[in-house]
Amino acid sequence: MTDPTPLKVGIVGTGGMGRHHCDRFREIPGVKVVAVYDVDQARAAEVATKYEVPLVARTVDELFDAVDVVSVVTPDRFHAEPAIAALKRGKHLLCEKPLSPTLSEAREMARVARDAEKRGIVHMVNFSYRGSGGFAKAIELVRGGALGPLRQVHSWYQQGWLATSRYALDAKADALWRLSTGAGSGGVLGDLGCHILDMTSAIGGDIARARCTLRTFDKRLADGRWTRELNGIALDANDLALIECDFVDGAFGMIQTSRWATGHGNHLRCEAHGVDGALCVDLDRHWSEVEVCTSAALAKNGWSPEWTTEKTPDRANNWWRFIDAIRGKGPVDVDLTRGAQVQAYLDACERSAVSGGWETIAGWM
């Protein structure tokens, strides 16, 4: 059955993630990708041919003229301009994460989004792990008081691709931009840290202050040499982040994220421990499960309590839920104001890495 609300989508940015957005939108009935734009017009034309997109826009304004929905999938430092312009033009917006390299820019994006929302515009940040049923159930359990007051939250997001010869770098490596601040990368803190900070604070509550240590390591090139520079590009973005945080409600958190976690592909895990129970979400093991240790299990055997697995219904992915929100079928999980809040956490981490001390979370509204 044809959906009563057909929607025309335009993709801004046609790199690897831009193609992924094309794939996901094409799966949704009544949704058609009708325009793409990229500063690299040849790449945009290639994507248009592959996905049978009728318009390769020469400017973002030309793309806006043709669409109802805009998906911004550029490198981080180029999110703000097309996102703000799309919102002001009355286009529903899906923006990749993190919102921006700077908190001030993220605040402005969120402010414009709230103004657009008053006119019925839907806006969402693509924190992809919000599609996990286990993650959603963990939030529900904590907010419902199943664990009692929280005392500690431990999270980690580990990738190991920088440690494997398969990803030895050369000048054409797709991941090269992720390793250079000059290319707009916020390093592992911005790329993976935004995900794990979103997960940790969605489960554990708002963060009041943070202390962060960052590390950057030499990179292995395709010829076996180790370096921090390739063809004039400084490979200077951080590779590892260790974050301590105090939550507003009194719990303590420890977060680690790395691209040098040898033996891990894409391992994301969060444990929350309260006075009446605990839970664990491990998305490397299962997307739609949460492990729970209840107060009853603690009362039965406090030294070695039983953990049970709660299975959750599969959730639609972010693209489906974004389109559903436009069609009035439900809210978005992460709007641009929440995206700015996560940016405030990243900002405190960056300031702490310089100062060496605790930094208070700045306002994000």
Side-chain angles (χ1 to χ4, degrees):
M1 182 173 66
T2 303
D3 193 283
T5 313
L7 293 166
K8 295 178 289 185
V9 176
I11 308 290
V12 179
T14 55
M17 279 303 296
R19 297 168 195 235
H20 185 61
H21 280 234
C22 285
D23 283 327
R24 299 291 78 78
F25 279 121
R26 282 159 55 93
E27 296 169 349
I28 306 173
V31 174
K32 184 175 178 60
V33 178
V34 300
V36 293
Y37 170 77
D38 198 298
V39 292
D40 184 338
Q41 287 278 283
R43 182 167 65 181
E46 177 189 342
V47 169
T49 299
K50 177 178 179 179
Y51 292 99
E52 300 179 333
V53 177
L55 174 63
V56 179
R58 292 164 294 180
T59 66
V60 289
D61 282 326
E62 184 181 5
L63 179 139
F64 295 158
D65 288 339
V67 304
D68 311 300
V69 178
V70 173
S71 192
V72 174
V73 204
T74 59
D76 306 346
R77 63 175 175 169
F78 301 117
H79 286 172
E81 185 175 349
I84 289 172
L87 290 164
K88 289 183 175 180
R89 286 284 301 270
K91 309 302 175 182
H92 303 293
L93 174 70
L94 178 63
C95 185
E96 266 301 329
K97 56 75 198 170
L99 273 189
S100 165
T102 68
L103 178 56
S104 60
E105 200 169 61
R107 285 191 191 116
E108 177 62 11
M109 294 171 73
R111 184 194 66 77
V112 173
R114 288 192 296 273
D115 286 345
E117 188 176 340
K118 297 172 185 175
R119 306 191 304 274
I121 300 304
V122 172
H123 52 96
M124 180 173 170
V125 185
N126 189 34
F127 283 105
S128 51
Y129 298 105
R130 289 297 188 117
S132 159
F135 184 4
K137 184 64 176 179
I139 296 171
E140 176 188 324
L141 288 169
V142 172
R143 292 181 181 175
L147 276 58
L150 294 182
R151 291 294 180 258
Q152 64 182 38
V153 183
H154 290 171
S155 304
W156 48 98
Y157 189 176
Q158 307 280 50
Q159 293 182 347
W161 57 272
L162 279 177
T164 64
S165 58
R166 175 185 174 191
Y167 289 101
L169 297 177
D170 59 38
K172 297 180 180 179
D174 290 340
L176 196 59
W177 75 270
R178 297 180 184 273
L179 306 178
S180 175
T181 59
S185 175
V188 74
L189 178 64
D191 192 14
L192 306 188
C194 64
H195 282 298
I196 198 63
L197 282 163
D198 175 55
M199 172 178 271
T200 304
S201 58
I203 292 173
D206 290 350
I207 297 172
R209 63 175 190 159
R211 181 166 62 183
C212 178
T213 299
L214 301 176
R215 290 288 183 270
T216 304
F217 303 103
D218 290 351
K219 309 300 186 297
R220 179 165 50 192
L221 301 183
D223 62 9
R225 291 181 297 120
W226 293 82
T227 186
R228 294 197 187 185
E229 182 272 338
L230 179 60
N231 290 353
I233 300 172
L235 308 180
D236 58 347
N238 58 80
D239 300 317
L240 179 148
L242 182 63
I243 305 164
E244 300 168 87
C245 56
D246 282 330
F247 292 89
V248 170
D249 290 339
F252 178 77
M254 181 69 75
I255 304 167
Q256 183 175 351
T257 184
S258 172
R259 293 189 178 119
W260 281 99
T262 309
H264 285 296
N266 192 59
H267 185 203
L268 193 151
R269 177 185 176 101
C270 179
E271 295 183 1
H273 301 264
V275 299
D276 295 325
L279 62 77
C280 173
V281 179
D282 189 332
L283 299 187
D284 204 34
R285 293 169 59 184
H286 205 288
W287 189 252
S288 298
E289 292 181 355
V290 57
E291 296 176 71
V292 181
C293 178
T294 65
S295 57
L298 289 167
K300 185 176 181 180
N301 186 344
W303 183 253
S304 183
E306 179 184 7
W307 286 68
T308 58
T309 299
E310 292 197 21
K311 297 184 182 296
T312 66
D314 290 335
R315 299 187 87 205
N317 66 37
N318 283 2
W319 294 266
W320 279 84
R321 295 202 314 282
F322 172 59
I323 294 298
D324 278 350
I326 294 171
R327 290 171 171 164
K329 297 180 180 179
V332 299
D333 291 314
V334 185
D335 62 14
L336 265 66
T337 297
R338 170 60 177 174
Q341 182 179 16
V342 173
Q343 194 66 43
Y345 298 155
L346 293 170
D347 171 76
C349 291
E350 290 167 354
R351 286 186 281 117
S352 172
V354 174
S355 72
W358 287 91
E359 294 289 342
T360 301
I361 307 303
W364 57 87
M365 296 290 281

